[in-house]
Amino acid sequence: MRILAIETSCDETSASVVQENLTGGIDVCSIIIATSLKLHASTGGIIPERAARAQIEYIIPVIDKALTESGFDKTEIDAIAVTHGPGLIGSLLVGIEAARTLSFLWQKPLIKVNHLLGHLYANFIAAQVPQFPAIGLVVSGGHTDLIYMKSHNQIKYLGGTRDDAAGEAFDKTARLLGLGYPGGPMISKASKEIVEKGTQLKYFPRPMRESGDYDFSFSGLKTAVLREVKANSKFTKNEMAAQIQEAIVDVLVYKADKACIEYMPKSFLLAGGVAANERLRDKINQKISKSVKIYIPPVNLCTDNAAYIGACAYYHPEIIDWTDLTPNPELTIV
Ligand code: KG4
Ligand code: ZN
C-alpha cells in the first residue's frame, strides 16, 4: 500500500509519500516540509491566522513536490491520509480541503489520522518495527500524553498534562529568558555547555513527580522562572536554561520509567517535537529498563511532518467519505 499523506495541524505544511516495507515497517519515498517558523519568530509565537494563510500558499506546491520526489504519479497512490485533529482549525482545514479534493478527483480512499497518535508512528518508519505491548510518550507543543498500547487498536490512556504541555513549558520559559521562538531548541542549545560540565541541576521544583499517577503539571515552572528572572537571578542565562530543561526532562523520564516498571512492555516509544531534545533522549536511554526496547525517532521525524501521518494511516486505515471529513481541533489521543 502506498499513501500520500498531508499534515497541516499547526504551522508546518507537509506532504509525504510512504509505503510498507518487507519487514512490516514503513519506508518514506518522499517528505516535504514547508514551515512558516520565521514568520512566527518575529512575533514570538504562532498567530493562527498567519499560519493558515501561509499554508494556503504552500499546500499545492508541497503536495506536487512530494509526488514528484517520490517518483510515483497519482495512479500509483492507493490512498490519501490527512490529519483531522487536534490542531488549529484554520490550519487543519487547509490540509483537509486539499485531501478531500484529491480524494474526489482521483477517486482514492481518504484516511483520517489523529495527529497525536500519528507522532508515535514515526517509530514505525524503521526496518525493525516496535513490538507490543508498548508504552508511548507523546511530548509536543500542545500535548503531553502517556499511553499503554496493547496493540495498534487497544490503547489505554495513562495520564497527561493537567495544564501546560512540555513543549509549551519550553516555549514559555524561553520567552521569559529572552531566548526567542521556538523555545525548545533554544533552551536545548543554551543548556549544552552547562549539561556537559556536569553541573547540579536540581534548582526548580518537579511538580507532580511523586503524585503516584501518570499526570504532569508544567505551569508552575513558568511561575518559578518568572520569579527567578524578576529577582535578578544568581544564574546566568545558560544556567537557567539548563535548570529549566532538567526540571522538564526529569519528570518526563521519571513517569515514563514508572509506567515501564508497572506495565512491563516490550517497547517504549518516544515521540513529538520535544523528543528532539538531546537531554531527554539521553536520559530515556539511561533510565528505562534494559529489558524494554527503546524507540526514539530521528530528530527530523520528531517535529511535525506528514511521513508519520502516512505511517499511522497504514496501521489505522480509518477510511472516511470525503463528504464526511471535518476538522476536530480538540481531538484527544484516545
Ligand atoms: O510536535 P511538534 O513539532 O508540534 C506540535 O504538535 O505541537 O512540537 C513542537 C514543540 C515546540 O514546543 C518546540 O519548542 C518543541 O517541540 N521542541 C523542542 C525541541 N525541538 C522542538 N523542545 C525541546 N528541545 C528541542 N530540541
Ligand atoms: Zn505535533
Side-chain angles (χ1 to χ4, degrees):
M1 168 129 130
R2 190 172 300 123
I3 299 173
L4 168 67
I6 298 170
E7 152 64 41
T8 62
S9 65
C10 193
D11 58 340
E12 268 85 16
T13 309
S14 179
S16 173
V17 175
V18 303
Q19 62 187 8
E20 82 245 52
N21 61 32
L22 292 175
T23 55
I26 296 295
D27 283 346
V28 176
C29 309
S30 67
I31 175 170
I32 306 294
I33 307 169
T35 174
S36 53
L37 205 68
K38 278 198 186 135
L39 212 66
H40 310 305
S42 62
T43 49
I46 296 171
I47 297 177
E49 169 78 15
R50 291 183 84 184
R53 277 168 184 260
Q55 283 163 321
I56 288 172
E57 266 178 54
Y58 299 154
I59 189 77
I60 293 174
V62 163
I63 293 173
D64 193 37
K65 202 161 178 215
L67 261 186
T68 310
E69 284 197 8
S70 75
F72 298 109
D73 72 29
K74 61 179 191 254
T75 60
E76 295 166 295
I77 299 293
D78 301 306
I80 294 160
V82 66
T83 303
H84 73 117
L88 305 169
I89 186 150
S91 295
L92 287 166
L93 270 170
V94 176
I96 284 176
E97 288 311 313
R100 274 158 47 99
T101 308
L102 291 179
S103 164
F104 172 74
L105 283 175
W106 297 353
Q107 292 294 298
K108 306 278 180 191
L110 184 60
I111 303 172
K112 62 175 184 173
V113 177
N114 178 322
H115 177 85
L116 297 172
L117 194 61
H119 265 298
L120 287 168
Y121 281 83
N123 290 301
F124 286 77
I125 301 173
Q128 211 192 355
V129 293
Q131 292 198 336
F132 293 113
I135 291 287
L137 175 63
V138 181
V139 274
S140 72
H143 297 82
T144 303
D145 289 316
L146 196 58
I147 60 171
Y148 174 70
M149 302 176 80
K150 206 168 163 193
S151 68
H152 288 292
N153 294 303
Q154 291 169 284
I155 300 175
K156 181 178 158 190
Y157 183 74
L158 301 182
T161 188
R162 297 207 178 158
D163 39 57
D164 291 354
E168 204 174 345
F170 273 108
D171 295 336
K172 287 180 175 171
T173 53
R175 194 179 308 158
L176 292 174
L177 296 186
L179 285 174
Y181 177 87
M186 303 293 183
I187 290 207
S188 173
K189 201 168 145 212
S191 306
K192 203 169 167 52
E193 220 172 274
I194 308 294
V195 170
E196 279 166 7
K197 261 201 242 162
T199 313
Q200 270 250 355
L201 297 168
K202 297 193 171 156
Y203 186 73
F204 288 118
R206 272 61 167 161
M208 294 193 72
R209 191 179 190 270
E210 311 300 333
S211 61
D213 56 21
Y214 292 110
D215 283 344
F216 303 86
S217 167
F218 293 108
S219 69
L221 181 62
K222 191 178 54 194
T223 318
V225 172
L226 181 64
R227 208 176 298 128
E228 189 65 26
V229 170
K230 282 196 170 157
N232 280 330
S233 176
K234 61 183 187 294
F235 294 124
T236 63
K237 208 180 257 198
N238 289 356
E239 284 168 343
M240 280 278 275
Q243 294 285 358
I244 291 167
Q245 173 174 270
E246 202 68 11
I248 298 170
V249 167
D250 184 47
V251 186
L252 292 173
V253 174
Y254 181 82
K255 299 244 167 157
D257 183 42
K258 182 175 145 73
C260 287
I261 292 167
E262 183 179 344
Y263 288 90
M264 293 190 294
K266 284 191 179 150
S267 314
F268 173 79
L269 318 179
L270 185 66
V274 179
N277 185 274
E278 211 179 308
R279 183 70 169 162
L280 177 61
R281 299 166 82 93
D282 287 351
K283 284 277 177 178
I284 287 284
N285 278 317
Q286 283 168 24
K287 284 276 166 66
I288 303 275
S289 157
K290 297 291 166 261
S291 60
V292 180
K293 186 144 172 44
I294 297 166
Y295 291 83
I296 304 177
V299 169
N300 69 321
L301 292 180
C302 288
T303 44
D304 290 349
N305 68 81
Y308 66 68
I309 297 300
C312 187
Y314 174 75
Y315 299 101
H316 297 262
E318 275 189 63
I319 294 175
I320 182 166
D321 192 81
W322 70 270
T323 54
D324 292 334
L325 185 60
T326 51
N328 190 347
E330 307 299 334
L331 193 65
T332 51
I333 194 161
V334 278

